[in-house]
Amino acid sequence: MGFFSKIKKIWSNKTEPETPGPVEPAAEDAASRESAAWEAELRLALQQAQPRLSVWLDLILQDLEFADDHLWARLQFLLDSLEVPAAEAGDFLSRFRKWLQDMDYDRIAEFRSELQYRLALALDLEDEEDEKSRLFIKLSLGLNKTKEQLSRHIDRLLTASPEFNSAFWEELEEILILGDVGFQTSSALVERLQKRVREEKISSSEAFKAAFQNELASLFPAPAKRIKPAPPEVMLALGVNGVGKTTTIAKLAHRAQMQGQKVLLAAGDTFRAAGIEQLEIWAQRTGAGFFAKKTGSDPAAVAYEALDAARQGDYDLLIVDTAGRLHTQTNLMQELKKIKDVLHKKSPGAPHRTVLVVDGTSGQNVLAQTKLFNEGVGIDEIIITKLDGTAKGGVILSIALEHKIPITFVGLGEKMEDLRPFSGQDFAKALLSK
Ligand SMILES: Nc1nc2c(ncn2[C@@H]2O[C@H](COP(=O)(O)OP(=O)(O)OP(=O)(O)O)[C@@H](O)[C@H]2O)c(=O)[nH]1
Ligand SMILES: [Mg+2]
């Protein structure tokens, strides 16, 4: 459920547009007459518009350039019209205002995208075409370098090689390997494609590309439908140092809060003082709760006590950050295992999600990390960060084929809104699109 407990899109009801009320009493001052006029105009425009968030925002933000009183009045009007309860609307707007202050943003161009992201989450509209196509564009742009590495070379190969002969397949395999798809995955993919081309008697490059896209998409397991556990849901975040674990936790916390959940962050990386501080700063910025003990404390004790705190504070989601590096790798795995065991003893089912965060720019190393953490601790899902600007995004295909662990989110930049749900279908499409 979104941030707002109940919304009703009143203008998408097929009622006749409201006519402006009776003439204002003479006693009304000019300001309120002016506000009644723009409200009536905006209401009419919204009623006649397609019920899509981007369209609503275009109307709301029309002619505005700065975050001034007009903006707040119009956003308030939008939320009122959607019959968002006043307290929730107030909360949403004050959080957003605080964020603008923190970021020192003033121009609408600087924050329009974040505003749309927040509204999509809060209004539970992220699955609508509008947001999906925004995400697809973002994914495509983020994958530009990977695309260049793969799809440009494949296009060239298709133009140069008139038939699907052995030279073609050899070269295709080489392109895939160079695109960080990995040796095993590349051979497996080529083999599947060969079979398909033979069986379906594919002869044109268009048909080949369609089959290729289809084959790539089929590598990804359909996301499992999860039943939400009784709160607090516990998420354990793992990953080697520097991959973007802490910022990813912040982005997840931000998403969950915009979706109406109360989030607690626990500083399980007690190895470095800076690790604890960094998480605390993110907790403040995102408005999440924060739980920590002294540097050097036992991380399992942090997790244990944080779960108590999450229960007592009625939190919906507890996210436990962990260290990415200790004196030795064996120590790290033992420590992570212990955190997991302690959480499980305290609450059967917890941690409900053990998430491995990996850095997309590290290419095939990601596979070794996945193996290490999966064998050492056991992981349920993978989040890949820093896909923006890397040519090594092909590694996603190796993860899908070799590990069959679902990739749930991808990081496409440093902003809060840059962590988005991952879709294998979109990925395959983006990778091969022009
Ligand atoms: N471009 C880009 N940068 C990212 C992304 N995710 C994280 N980063 C950046 O990566 C850097 C490292 O992020 P952290 O969150 O500190 O990484 P960490 O894994 O917690 O690191 P340690 O705690 O030091 O082990 C930061 O500068 C982030 O802004 C992403 O999706 N895209
Ligand atoms: Mg960290």
Side-chain angles (χ1 to χ4, degrees), residues 239-249 251 269 272 274-275 278 282 321-325 357 359 361 384-389 410-415 418-419:
V240 302
N241 59 305
V243 292
K245 232 175 11 265
T246 307
T247 32
T248 298
I249 290 172
K251 289 171 182 168
D269 178 2
R272 302 174 307 128
Q278 193 200 4
W282 277 118
D321 191 12
T322 61
R325 178 173 50 98
V357 181
D359 177 342
T361 62
I384 305 179
T385 62
K386 309 184 198 178
L387 272 185
D388 49 309
V410 285
L412 297 166
E414 302 203 42
K415 295 205 292 277
D418 293 336
L419 184 80

Side-chain angles (χ1 to χ4, degrees), residues 331-344:
N331 280 349
L332 178 62
M333 290 305 144
Q334 280 167 356
E335 181 174 296
L336 296 173
K337 192 85 185 45
K338 188 172 156 200
I339 299 176
K340 208 171 168 178
D341 291 345
V342 159
L343 286 168
H344 184 72

Side-chain angles (χ1 to χ4, degrees), residues 182-201:
F183 181 71
Q184 278 182 27
T185 311
S186 300
S187 326
L189 257 176
V190 165
E191 215 168 285
R192 287 183 189 208
L193 275 166
Q194 269 175 318
K195 186 159 173 268
R196 210 158 162 161
V197 163
R198 209 172 37 238
E199 283 174 2
E200 293 173 21
K201 300 198 170 47

Side-chain angles (χ1 to χ4, degrees), residues 10-18 40 42-50 59:
I10 52 162
W11 54 73
S12 59
N13 290 347
K14 294 281 168 251
T15 50
E16 281 300 300
E18 254 174 59
L42 189 55
R43 177 171 293 118
L44 190 64
L46 287 167
Q47 277 168 338
Q48 290 170 345
Q50 290 178 52
L59 290 169

